[in-house]
Amino acid sequence: MAVCIAVIAKENYPLYIRSIPAEHELKFHYTVHTSLDVVDEKVSAMGKALVDQRELYLGLLYPTEDYKVYGYVTNSKVKFVMVVDSSNTALRDNEIRSMFRKLHNSYTDVMCNPFYNPGDRIHSRAFDNMVTSMMVQVC
Amino acid sequence: MEPPEEPLRPVIYTMENKPIVTCAGDQTLFASVYPTLSQQLPREPMEWRRSYGRAPKMIHLESNFVQFKEELLPKEGNKALLTFPFLHIYWTECCDTEVYKATLKDDITKWQNVLKAHSSVDWLIVVVESDAKKKNKTNILPRTSIVDKIRNDFCNKQSDRCVVLCDPLKDSSRTQESWNAFLTKLRTLLLMSFTKNLGKFEDDMRTLREKRTEPGWSFCDYFMVQEELAFVFEMLQQFEDALVQYDELDALFSQYVVNFGAGDGANWLTFFCQSVKSWNGLILRKPIDMEKRELIQSQEATLLDLRSYLFSRQCTLLIFLQRPWEVSQRALELLHNCVQELKLLEVSVPPGALDCWVFLSCLEVLQRIEGCCDRAQIDSNISHTVGLWSYATEKLKSLGYLCGLVSENGPNSEDLNRTVDLLAGLGAERPETAKTAQSPYKKLKEALSSVEAFEKHYLDLSHATIEMYTSIGRIRSAKLVGKDLAEFYMRKKSPQKAEVYLQNALKNYVAEGWALPITHTRKQLAECQKHLGQIENYLQTSSLLASDSHLTEDERKHFCQEILNFANQQKESPGLKVILSMHSFAQLKHLHFDPSNALVHVGGTLSIEITLLSQMPVSVQVEQIAISVHFSIEKNSYRKTAEWLTKHKTSNGIISFPNENSSVPFSRSNSPALELYEMYERSPSDNSLNTTGIICKNVHMLLRRQESSSSLEIPSGVTLEDGAHILKCSNVTLDPGVNKIIFKTQAKEPGTYTLRQMCTSVGQVQFVLPHIYPIVQYDVYSQDPQLKVEPLTDSLLAGIPQKVKFTVTTGYYTIKNGDSLQLSNADAMLILFHAENRAIIYSNTREKSSEASLMIQSSEKVTSVSLPMAPAYHMIEFELEVLSLPSAPTTSGESDKLGNKDPHRKNKEKQKAGNCMVTLDQKVSIDCPWSIYSTIIALTFNIPFKATHSLLSAGKRKYIQVCVQNLSELGFQLSDSNLIDTGNSPELQLVPLNAKCQQHIYSKQSVFFVWELMWTKELPPSMHCHFSLDFYPASEDRSISLKPYSYEFQVENFFTLYNVKAEIFPPLGTEYCKTGSLCSLEVSITRLSDLLEVDKDEALTESDDYCTTKLMYEVVDNSSNWAVCGKSSGVISMPVTARATHKVHMEVMPLFAGYLPFPDVRLFKYLPHHSAHSTQLDADSWIENDNLSVDKNMDDQTDNSSLKSKSSSHSAASMEHKGLPMPRLQPFPSGQVFNSSTGMQILVIPSKDDHILEVSVT
């Protein structure tokens, strides 16, 4: 399914980033970082829309030869970026959307943890497990 | 299949195709009408209602009119749509019934039969009428009959299949009307034909598509069919619909590929899996790439061919639709998709072939778009095209690497072979681009031809891409391309060009805190800097990398070793020192002061323990760690004192430094949290709230520019401060992780020392921490020696030994052997000492350091306390016992009125109100070894006792009573009370009436002592007494002899001169006094002695040895028990001889029943007014005089009522005697008059009818 899932803070530093396989980690970091350009572009383009009508899902940020990068931005401008293998044609927009929603829910749980400092890196096991489930699960 | 008149060529340009309409009948007639017809037909749009719920469309119809031939009619099974005749028109202008019958009918029938044979139902018969012909024929009737006849004969229930066109070539309203009707009819019929025929075609097509699971089904065949439909739509200018056809084909094909990947392979697909042999890119310049179309038709196309053709058609249609940006977007998708599909289908592709194909395609798409858009449009839509640019750059780069064009030495033979193969796959350049100088084909060929050309093209592309990314604000993408460029430059051995790209990218990553890209980029930068010989920068980067936890242990060790190598290599030839920032090398975690309050006296030792977290992967031998210290003289000298020290104890002396997390420099931990405080401002007058608000105390931290915080990468900011004061620690080994280093320093000058910088030297490399924050300071102070003497208890008591604490604060002075305190002895205060006197020496921080015995020597004048040796800034504490005299000696001879006032004491005794103890200040002058001046210490003692005396008389016998009051909190044992006459007159004797034994006196209680005064001869007029009393605290043993408490006083005029005796007798005949009845009071005044010294005053009148003195008596009953009737006072003349008695009678009336005390009888000396004294009257004597005058008055007027109010008589008297010299009254001293009836009582019984008691006063 997803090969890389990243949560990026409002200030664009990574709160959480995980990828498989591990040897491509650096490449994914670059990819996710670069995708922020498009996130910024899309966010500023929809900035004028009313807050409650805003679509959090940003859609395909940009495709590369091997991967597709999808984006999602919360109302507090925390970004979720998901990289999916291009060969995985089974993944449609709707699946990606629901994955993001799951991610968002899990992230909200992390934020609700009184011991979590907003802005710190995420070390939650529950979040980790959820991400793992999204990465290995084959659709 | 293709009709001979329609050769292949027109098909290519579908835009020029028009639906075919055949014309039969009168060809010359048609020729005359044709110009108007072809012009008028497309003028007005027609609504085309579609099947399958598709939205209706307005459509402008055009037609290609051709002469009717039977060959034009499609045979059964022919799927060609473009050549399909949609409508057949028969033209005639026949108006003659005969002619019609003879020829026309047959002709039409023949035409109809041909159509029927081909089951074509789309036909129309046009009858053209003209007035010219009408005029020839006068008979009007047949005109209609021709049309009617035709309708009858052919239009079987389809009367609309025959239309009349009137005078088509005239310009009249009728003509116009007729044209309009005809054109509408024509359009309607055409559209009907389209709907019907296209619908049928689509149905057929769908049927064909449903057969796709059957074996032998060919995608290529189907492709051709659906494309036919697309062509028709395109012909009808319905590009949207045409595009849909291609998109459907695209999706169908993609689905097949996906299914193939999933193992569900279709037979026909295997053909597309043939290995790629040609990679000449997309061709978008022609509307239809017939070459590729033929390949598809002949089922010889490869996957790339099919995709290329499909995309070229989509591109053409999109450009017709004015959607060039969709082209670029779809192109990128297509290219990615193709690469994926080839992978999925496991098509063998020679290395680099796809790169060539993609590169060519990207450029082709870009050039195609540029060809149809102007510059401004392109510039504002960079975001759509930049992806292609970037993709092309990427592909060119990989081609360059593949073909050895990036290496330093240029391509080797293997590379060259590969290049040749790749170029071969491109084939020859297509004719349509052959003339274009910048065609993708030429570019690629040139780029692959030589190292230099490749570099030029690659740089051009990269720069263009970076510029585009930058211009649309995709900074991160631009940096990534820049990094690729840097890599390229590094390969080309021009690190100076690479550096700037790497730095830029790194700055971006650091600013946004992306750890892995930081590490990776830094590694590249390190290599670059190494090549450039930027030693300082390289070492700084190396130190960052050595501390980077994202690198492997080996890599970190390598970079650490690089630093150490440099440091050691420079050791032999000391050259420049390299100064690096310390934060990557080691982090300052904690700092611990000992003493913990960071306050040390001059000469004291201060140790600072720092905790350094070494980030290096190996142990590093550090030659020196130095902390430069800034010294400033503190103005507030109080801070330097020991008092400050004790009051401001810091918690534990540990200062923690904030954790500078280098991996996430941008996170919140770096930007400080808001420090908000509430603020209230109250009005100074009534304390009401004026304003309130919130103050942010660290605005300066929060509002500073963010850029400045990310400048950590630039080590040039690190400078070494020159400081005179430096703390050093040499030869330290810093192990990875936590290290503790201790600095010791001897405090020199007093002041405040601030730690500023820390510098770690490894060989010639210095790691500098430019600022130590939070501010770390220690203070050095100097203090003067001090002596403090204070009582151990709240107050000191005189008379008993009291402990006094001596505290010597040595300050800067060191107490040497033989130093002693010289206490000057005061008479009134003794310094007691025992053999064992111990002094305790405390350090500055109140820690006990030692104990020593104290040597005390006392001479007559001086007590010398030799102090134990003590270092500077210590405290010596010891206790001494002092004993003050219990009472200060009263100055003898100073006479006071007996009992009236307390004796006035020496030494500033202060008498306070009530039972407060009398205090006594004792001053001791102490010579200290550190000063030439004496220190005067004042100790205040409280005298625990207060003594008062009184003289008691019993007739002529005299007693002296001394009352001792214990004011202290202690109980005492009293003994040896003694009263002596200091005059030592032999005829006086004081006989104690007290118990001999010891007496206990409790706190706040009194003990009385009584002596009887006996005398043999005449008494002296006055006597000085000295009372002494031994005492010791009840709680203690009587170990030391204490001085007795003494009290001196004087008694005067104590001899009894008069005895006053009052007697009350009940009325005659009654046994008891009764209330309300008059009783007689007899006062007898008896002189007890002959003339004495004391009698010689003004009242005495002497004549012939007979002396008399004037006395005044007064009966006063203050308790209002008695009513004195008649005169209550009087002046008597008293003979001054022993036993002379004067009796006075008066009437008194008891007012109450019971035992009533006698009324008071007072006796005064009556001094005559003529004395010199009387002129000097003070206020007191005035009053006495006043009273006297009253009394005198009363004396004269004896009938005056004694009950008369004094005030009224007083006013009368004062009126009378104003200004006259007054006689004076003088009370007797207490001992001179003895009232023998004092305290006597008499029983008064109530009268029987006391309830009607009436007191009448006359």
Side-chain angles (χ1 to χ4, degrees):
Chain A
M1 219 155 149
V3 288
C4 175
I5 287 174
V7 180
I8 293 136
K10 182 169 179 275
E11 293 85 359
N12 288 337
Y13 63 89
L15 292 173
Y16 183 92
I17 181 159
R18 212 149 76 88
S19 53
I20 47 166
E23 56 261 33
H24 290 157
E25 202 181 359
L26 177 66
K27 186 176 151 191
F28 284 129
H29 278 237
Y30 277 124
T31 306
V32 171
H33 182 249
T34 314
S35 74
L36 292 177
D37 273 340
V38 191
V39 173
D40 283 354
E41 223 169 77
K42 295 208 175 198
V43 167
S44 64
M46 72 177 188
K48 285 146 203 153
L50 285 170
V51 177
D52 49 344
Q53 287 168 2
R54 202 152 53 196
E55 167 74 282
L56 301 178
Y57 177 56
L58 298 176
L60 182 65
L61 297 179
Y62 76 99
T64 65
E65 213 170 275
D66 306 314
Y67 303 105
K68 286 186 178 122
V69 186
Y70 294 92
Y72 185 93
V73 64
T74 70
N75 284 319
S76 53
K77 297 280 178 292
V78 171
K79 294 128 194 164
F80 301 145
V81 173
M82 198 173 337
V83 184
V84 173
D85 211 312
S86 283
S87 59
N88 194 342
T89 45
L91 274 181
R92 304 269 169 214
D93 227 35
N94 265 342
E95 278 95 63
I96 302 285
R97 242 177 235 269
S98 75
M99 280 164 79
F100 272 128
R101 243 187 311 267
K102 254 168 80 184
L103 198 63
H104 195 169
N105 285 341
S106 192
Y107 175 72
T108 313
D109 289 345
V110 170
M111 289 295 284
C112 289
N113 178 359
F115 298 102
Y116 173 75
N117 244 337
D120 286 359
R121 302 204 62 140
I122 296 171
H123 295 293
S124 153
R125 192 177 302 157
F127 190 79
D128 224 36
N129 290 341
M130 200 276 313
V131 168
T132 310
S133 78
M134 291 206 308
M135 289 175 109
V136 295
Q137 178 193 334
V138 178
C139 273
Chain B
M1 276 181 217
E2 277 136 11
E5 274 117 4
E6 306 284 1
L8 209 57
R9 196 155 279 281
V11 179
I12 300 170
Y13 306 102
T14 50
M15 272 292 279
E16 289 154 31
N17 271 340
K18 288 166 192 161
I20 292 167
V21 176
T22 62
C23 299
D26 193 343
Q27 290 300 319
T28 47
L29 171 68
F30 172 69
S32 70
V33 177
Y34 175 74
T36 323
L37 181 62
S38 61
Q39 190 201 346
Q40 292 290 328
L41 185 61
R43 184 158 287 175
E44 285 192 21
M46 195 69 189
E47 196 188 55
W48 185 20
R49 297 177 195 278
R50 315 280 305 277
S51 55
Y52 298 110
R54 278 174 283 192
K57 284 199 169 160
M58 299 306 282
I59 188 165
H60 292 267
L61 288 166
E62 273 185 282
S63 279
N64 189 13
F65 295 94
V66 297
Q67 196 180 352
F68 176 78
K69 279 170 189 162
E70 198 179 342
E71 301 89 66
L72 280 177
L73 293 173
K75 291 181 188 73
E76 196 61 46
N78 187 1
K79 296 275 187 288
L81 260 186
L82 277 180
T83 53
F84 184 83
F86 285 95
L87 191 63
H88 309 275
I89 305 174
Y90 192 91
W91 295 88
T92 179
E93 54 177 353
C94 170
C95 51
D96 190 342
T97 319
E98 302 309 313
V99 177
Y100 170 74
K101 279 184 180 156
T103 57
L104 190 60
K105 194 179 173 181
D106 287 349
D107 200 35
I108 293 178
T109 311
K110 219 168 93 192
W111 174 71
Q112 284 265 312
N113 286 339
V114 173
L115 290 181
K116 265 180 200 147
H118 291 91
S119 62
S120 175
V121 291
D122 306 300
W123 52 266
L124 177 69
I125 299 166
V126 186
V127 180
V128 180
E129 286 178 358
S130 61
D131 289 343
K133 285 193 177 172
K134 238 190 289 173
K135 273 170 190 163
N136 296 343
K137 311 280 174 189
T138 47
N139 187 3
I140 296 172
L141 273 175
R143 178 187 58 184
T144 46
S145 66
I146 291 285
V147 178
D148 288 339
K149 273 190 167 71
I150 292 174
R151 280 186 183 150
N152 269 332
D153 293 342
F154 304 102
C155 308
N156 185 26
K157 290 171 192 166
Q158 286 182 297
S159 57
D160 59 336
R161 292 284 174 176
C162 180
V163 288
V164 178
L165 190 61
C166 295
D167 289 328
L169 301 175
K170 283 204 174 158
D171 190 17
S172 69
S173 62
R174 191 163 163 264
T175 307
Q176 199 60 47
E177 231 170 80
S178 143
W179 262 114
N180 281 347
F182 167 67
L183 285 171
T184 309
K185 177 64 69 184
L186 184 60
R187 285 179 196 133
T188 312
L189 288 174
L190 261 175
L191 282 179
M192 274 169 62
S193 168
F194 288 159
T195 311
K196 193 173 71 198
N197 289 300
L198 290 184
K200 187 170 173 289
F201 186 86
E202 279 178 16
D203 288 343
D204 291 347
M205 187 181 84
R206 259 176 229 112
T207 317
L208 182 59
R209 191 162 64 196
E210 291 317 309
K211 286 181 187 157
R212 65 183 182 274
T213 46
E214 289 174 12
W217 187 85
S218 162
F219 177 78
C220 291
D221 290 345
Y222 177 73
F223 184 95
M224 285 321 203
V225 173
Q226 189 157 9
E227 194 185 26
E228 200 71 24
L229 188 61
F231 281 156
V232 174
F233 282 124
E234 191 182 343
M235 180 179 77
L236 296 174
Q237 314 245 319
Q238 299 307 302
F239 303 118
E240 203 74 63
D241 291 292
L243 188 59
V244 168
Q245 308 311 316
Y246 285 109
D247 287 351
E248 279 180 14
L249 284 169
D250 194 346
L252 185 66
F253 186 74
S254 298
Q255 194 56 50
Y256 267 108
V257 176
V258 170
N259 291 350
F260 185 84
D264 177 20
N267 279 340
W268 56 269
L269 201 59
T270 46
F271 186 77
F272 288 103
C273 298
Q274 61 187 307
S275 58
V276 175
K277 294 197 179 63
S278 159
W279 40 86
N280 47 11
L282 294 173
I283 294 146
L284 305 174
R285 283 158 219 254
K286 293 189 284 190
I288 298 173
D289 184 354
M290 289 313 289
E291 252 176 84
K292 292 240 159 59
R293 189 167 190 269
E294 274 163 50
L295 284 175
I296 295 166
Q297 209 163 14
S298 59
Q299 311 210 348
E300 283 165 11
T302 62
L303 183 117
L304 284 185
D305 290 333
L306 179 77
R307 284 286 182 197
S308 298
Y309 177 72
L310 202 50
F311 185 74
S312 74
R313 293 297 300 140
Q314 288 167 324
C315 169
T316 309
L317 292 169
L318 283 169
I319 285 172
F320 284 149
L321 288 166
Q322 316 249 300
R323 278 145 62 180
W325 315 122
E326 204 178 324
V327 174
S328 62
Q329 191 196 323
R330 279 169 172 243
L332 204 55
E333 269 172 46
L334 165 89
L335 299 176
H336 290 145
N337 192 31
C338 284
V339 174
Q340 283 300 320
E341 282 182 348
L342 287 172
K343 240 184 250 173
L344 197 64
L345 296 176
E346 291 161 348
V347 174
S348 80
V349 183
L354 266 185
D355 296 335
C356 285
W357 186 75
V358 170
F359 176 78
L360 289 172
S361 302
C362 284
L363 292 193
E364 178 71 13
V365 173
L366 290 170
Q367 289 189 358
R368 181 74 186 90
I369 291 169
E370 275 167 34
C372 69
C373 296
D374 57 32
R375 194 74 238 163
Q377 258 180 309
I378 290 169
D379 283 347
S380 56
N381 283 288
I382 284 174
S383 60
H384 294 106
T385 54
V386 72
L388 287 170
W389 284 103
S390 160
Y391 200 20
T393 313
E394 199 182 303
K395 286 299 163 192
L396 186 61
K397 183 186 81 176
S398 65
L399 276 175
Y401 281 87
L402 188 73
C403 300
L405 295 165
V406 183
S407 65
E408 210 181 347
N409 307 320
N412 55 26
S413 62
E414 198 184 326
D415 294 332
L416 287 172
N417 280 340
R418 203 175 289 134
T419 313
V420 168
D421 289 346
L422 282 177
L423 288 175
L426 295 179
E429 183 161 21
R430 247 80 55 84
E432 58 271 23
T433 58
K435 286 167 204 127
T436 325
Q438 287 286 308
S439 71
Y441 180 86
K442 288 203 187 75
K443 271 195 181 172
L444 181 59
K445 214 156 187 182
E446 194 185 320
L448 295 182
S449 66
S450 71
V451 172
E452 291 74 24
F454 173 79
E455 184 174 343
K456 178 186 164 293
H457 282 287
Y458 179 62
L459 293 185
D460 281 353
L461 263 180
S462 292
H463 289 149
T465 310
I466 290 174
E467 203 178 298
M468 278 187 244
Y469 271 137
T470 314
S471 75
I472 57 166
R474 295 198 185 177
I475 303 300
R476 299 176 190 88
S477 312
K479 298 276 190 277
L480 196 62
V481 179
K483 266 198 67 215
D484 283 342
L485 199 53
E487 248 165 73
F488 170 76
Y489 279 129
M490 286 305 289
R491 292 285 287 267
K492 301 287 283 180
K493 295 277 176 258
S494 38
Q496 70 281 359
K497 284 180 184 158
E499 196 208 350
V500 62
Y501 289 107
L502 290 173
Q503 286 282 16
N504 282 341
L506 184 57
K507 209 182 281 175
N508 185 242
Y509 299 141
V510 168
E512 296 191 337
W514 286 74
L516 283 188
I518 289 171
T519 308
H520 179 239
T521 312
R522 217 171 246 162
K523 236 163 79 185
Q524 293 176 316
L525 186 63
E527 197 195 337
C528 174
Q529 285 166 337
K530 192 177 185 182
H531 282 301
L532 284 174
Q534 297 176 342
I535 292 164
E536 203 172 313
N537 292 349
Y538 174 62
L539 292 178
Q540 183 67 64
T541 311
S542 295
S543 79
L544 284 166
L545 286 167
S547 65
D548 196 331
S549 59
H550 292 102
L551 286 176
T552 61
E553 191 69 16
D554 285 344
E555 281 174 301
R556 290 179 61 183
K557 277 182 185 160
H558 163 74
F559 285 110
C560 185
Q561 203 54 50
E562 287 284 294
I563 302 169
L564 296 181
N565 285 349
F566 175 82
N568 295 333
Q569 154 209 328
Q570 290 286 310
K571 229 175 240 175
E572 284 98 51
S573 55
L576 78 163
K577 289 199 169 187
V578 175
I579 295 167
L580 303 176
S581 165
M582 191 192 257
H583 80 276
S584 57
F585 177 72
Q587 279 181 8
L588 186 56
K589 287 285 178 194
H590 306 290
L591 190 145
H592 179 221
F593 279 116
D594 184 31
S596 60
N597 50 13
L599 190 61
V600 70
H601 54 75
V602 170
T605 339
L606 177 82
S607 85
I608 303 170
E609 185 189 79
I610 61 167
T611 308
L612 266 185
L613 182 72
S614 172
Q615 316 251 53
M616 292 295 112
V618 293
S619 294
V620 178
Q621 185 68 33
V622 173
E623 275 146 41
Q624 180 183 281
I625 298 178
I627 299 177
S628 70
V629 177
H630 177 261
F631 167 68
S632 66
I633 295 166
E634 178 100 13
K635 281 169 192 97
N636 180 8
S637 57
Y638 174 64
R639 230 194 129 201
K640 292 174 234 156
T641 60
E643 281 97 310
W644 192 88
L645 172 155
T646 45
K647 279 177 192 162
H648 293 81
K649 281 207 170 178
T650 48
S651 53
N652 48 10
I654 297 176
I655 295 155
S656 291
F657 295 91
N659 199 6
E660 40 176 309
N661 198 343
S662 56
S663 63
V664 188
F666 206 68
S667 72
R668 286 155 32 97
S669 62
N670 238 29
S671 58
L674 279 175
E675 279 178 43
L676 294 177
Y677 294 87
E678 46 201 312
M679 181 269 296
Y680 301 105
E681 206 167 274
R682 293 181 182 278
S683 131
S685 56
D686 58 348
N687 204 33
S688 64
L689 195 63
N690 268 357
T691 42
T692 182
I694 291 173
I695 295 173
C696 177
K697 288 212 168 170
N698 54 352
V699 182
H700 58 289
M701 302 286 284
L702 291 162
L703 294 187
R704 74 174 171 202
R705 286 168 60 97
Q706 292 286 14
E707 283 87 339
S708 58
S709 62
S710 60
S711 61
L712 284 168
E713 288 298 311
I714 302 148
S716 60
V718 179
T719 47
L720 248 186
E721 236 174 47
D722 254 358
H725 302 266
I726 283 180
L727 304 174
K728 282 180 190 171
C729 197
S730 296
N731 286 326
V732 183
T733 305
L734 286 182
D735 294 323
V738 171
N739 293 272
K740 289 193 188 253
I741 298 137
I742 297 171
F743 295 86
K744 275 199 191 309
T745 180
Q746 186 116 40
K748 288 186 190 102
E749 267 181 272
T752 300
Y753 293 80
T754 311
L755 308 191
R756 284 281 182 83
Q757 285 192 333
M758 188 155 78
C759 175
T760 310
S761 308
V762 183
Q764 297 306 302
V765 180
Q766 290 187 322
F767 294 97
V768 174
L769 182 66
H771 303 290
I772 296 178
Y773 185 85
I775 290 168
V776 180
Q777 290 182 325
Y778 67 88
D779 293 290
V780 174
Y781 70 96
S782 146
Q783 195 186 15
D784 291 334
Q786 255 184 353
L787 171 69
K788 208 158 86 182
V789 179
E790 52 195 2
L792 216 58
T793 50
D794 288 346
S795 59
L796 293 169
L797 283 179
I800 54 170
Q802 295 284 287
K803 281 188 175 170
V804 171
K805 190 170 85 174
F806 282 69
T807 309
V808 176
T809 311
T810 58
Y812 57 75
Y813 184 80
T814 308
I815 295 188
K816 300 177 286 291
N817 195 11
D819 278 343
S820 62
L821 296 176
Q822 308 280 343
L823 282 73
S824 65
N825 290 348
D827 295 333
M829 194 180 80
L830 293 174
I831 292 160
L832 309 172
F833 44 87
H834 314 288
E836 265 304 279
N837 254 328
R838 300 205 68 82
I840 301 169
I841 301 166
Y842 292 101
S843 76
N844 220 1
T845 48
R846 295 293 305 175
E847 282 157 35
K848 190 173 167 182
S849 68
S850 66
E851 214 179 296
S853 68
L854 208 60
M855 291 288 293
I856 302 176
Q857 285 173 323
S858 191
S859 68
E860 203 174 316
K861 285 183 173 172
V862 171
T863 304
S864 148
V865 180
S866 58
L867 294 169
M869 285 196 288
Y873 296 100
H874 274 63
M875 272 195 281
I876 305 172
E877 270 187 17
F878 59 89
E879 285 168 15
L880 284 185
E881 276 190 328
V882 292
L883 179 64
S884 169
L885 289 184
S887 50
T890 323
T891 39
S892 50
E894 198 173 307
S895 61
D896 273 296
K897 283 276 175 79
L898 190 124
N900 277 357
K901 287 176 191 168
D902 276 70
H904 191 76
R905 287 176 199 269
K906 220 178 139 188
N907 285 357
K908 275 208 296 179
E909 271 176 39
K910 281 161 270 172
Q911 170 71 53
K912 287 169 194 162
N915 281 343
C916 278
M917 287 185 268
V918 175
T919 59
L920 190 60
D921 281 351
Q922 301 282 10
K923 285 188 177 152
V924 188
S925 131
I926 302 172
D927 288 334
C928 302
W930 54 80
S931 168
I932 54 163
Y933 301 106
S934 301
T935 311
I936 309 281
I937 301 284
L939 292 171
T940 303
F941 291 92
N942 292 316
I943 295 170
F945 300 115
K946 184 175 150 192
T948 48
H949 67 274
S950 52
L951 184 71
L952 308 171
S953 308
K956 284 170 81 174
R957 295 172 75 166
K958 294 289 165 187
Y959 303 92
I960 292 171
Q961 186 196 51
V962 177
C963 170
V964 176
Q965 200 182 352
N966 181 7
L967 299 171
S968 75
E969 302 289 333
L970 293 173
F972 290 97
Q973 288 289 350
L974 304 179
S975 62
D976 293 337
S977 58
N978 198 14
L979 186 70
I980 51 163
D981 170 29
T982 49
N984 262 338
S985 53
E987 49 282 22
L988 273 177
Q989 200 184 347
L990 286 162
V991 181
L993 303 175
N994 308 313
K996 285 279 175 226
C997 63
Q998 291 192 353
Q999 261 184 302
H1000 194 91
I1001 181 165
Y1002 292 99
S1003 171
K1004 309 287 182 200
Q1005 284 186 349
S1006 302
V1007 168
F1008 293 88
F1009 298 93
V1010 179
W1011 281 266
E1012 186 173 3
L1013 188 60
M1014 313 274 267
W1015 64 90
T1016 47
K1017 284 186 183 170
E1018 199 182 340
L1019 278 171
S1022 72
M1023 184 175 81
H1024 287 283
C1025 295
H1026 178 92
F1027 172 76
S1028 71
L1029 180 67
D1030 279 358
F1031 68 96
Y1032 59 93
S1035 54
E1036 282 171 37
D1037 285 338
R1038 192 162 191 178
S1039 50
I1040 38 162
S1041 61
L1042 298 176
K1043 286 270 163 64
Y1045 172 69
S1046 66
Y1047 173 58
E1048 282 186 35
F1049 58 95
Q1050 195 178 15
V1051 279
E1052 286 180 312
N1053 298 330
F1054 47 82
F1055 191 76
T1056 312
L1057 296 178
Y1058 302 98
N1059 187 13
V1060 177
K1061 192 182 173 196
E1063 274 180 296
I1064 295 174
F1065 302 104
L1068 283 171
T1070 48
E1071 205 177 338
Y1072 298 107
C1073 296
K1074 273 188 182 173
T1075 53
S1077 60
L1078 287 174
C1079 307
S1080 71
L1081 169 72
E1082 188 190 79
V1083 177
S1084 56
I1085 300 162
T1086 312
R1087 173 80 188 187
L1088 296 180
S1089 68
D1090 291 326
L1091 182 68
L1092 289 172
E1093 244 349 78
V1094 294
D1095 288 323
K1096 292 181 176 164
D1097 55 17
E1098 294 142 78
L1100 192 74
T1101 33
E1102 224 175 328
S1103 58
D1104 309 331
D1105 295 340
Y1106 183 74
C1107 296
T1108 56
T1109 185
K1110 284 204 168 167
L1111 297 174
M1112 196 188 100
Y1113 68 89
E1114 190 184 8
V1115 179
V1116 180
D1117 179 36
N1118 283 332
S1119 51
S1120 305
N1121 289 329
W1122 301 93
V1124 182
C1125 304
K1127 219 165 64 152
S1128 63
S1129 60
V1131 178
I1132 54 168
S1133 183
M1134 193 74 193
V1136 188
T1137 44
R1139 275 174 295 281
T1141 306
H1142 192 100
K1143 288 196 176 177
V1144 180
H1145 291 273
M1146 53 188 85
E1147 303 267 82
V1148 294
M1149 185 168 71
L1151 301 175
F1152 299 99
Y1155 284 99
L1156 299 182
F1158 279 31
D1160 282 346
V1161 179
R1162 293 180 194 166
L1163 208 59
F1164 299 96
K1165 266 186 196 172
Y1166 188 83
L1167 300 177
H1169 65 266
H1170 48 81
S1171 71
H1173 249 89
S1174 62
T1175 49
Q1176 303 159 340
L1177 294 171
D1178 56 9
D1180 286 343
S1181 35
W1182 252 110
I1183 295 161
E1184 285 175 343
N1185 276 336
D1186 231 16
N1187 287 338
L1188 180 68
S1189 66
V1190 171
D1191 293 340
K1192 199 184 166 190
N1193 241 357
M1194 284 191 279
D1195 201 16
D1196 295 338
Q1197 305 159 3
T1198 46
D1199 54 344
N1200 263 7
S1201 167
S1202 63
L1203 293 175
K1204 198 176 178 180
S1205 100
K1206 274 187 181 176
S1207 58
S1208 59
S1209 62
H1210 159 81
S1211 55
S1214 57
M1215 290 293 280
E1216 241 176 283
H1217 299 282
K1218 197 155 191 184
L1220 287 173
M1222 296 291 168
R1224 290 186 297 128
L1225 287 178
Q1226 193 179 31
F1228 284 100
S1230 61
Q1232 287 185 338
V1233 175
F1234 176 70
N1235 196 336
S1236 59
S1237 58
T1238 307
M1240 281 176 71
Q1241 291 177 329
I1242 186 163
L1243 180 68
V1244 177
I1245 55 170
S1247 63
K1248 281 181 181 136
D1249 50 354
D1250 56 356
H1251 60 281
I1252 50 157
L1253 171 71
E1254 202 173 331
V1255 181
S1256 58
V1257 180
T1258 52

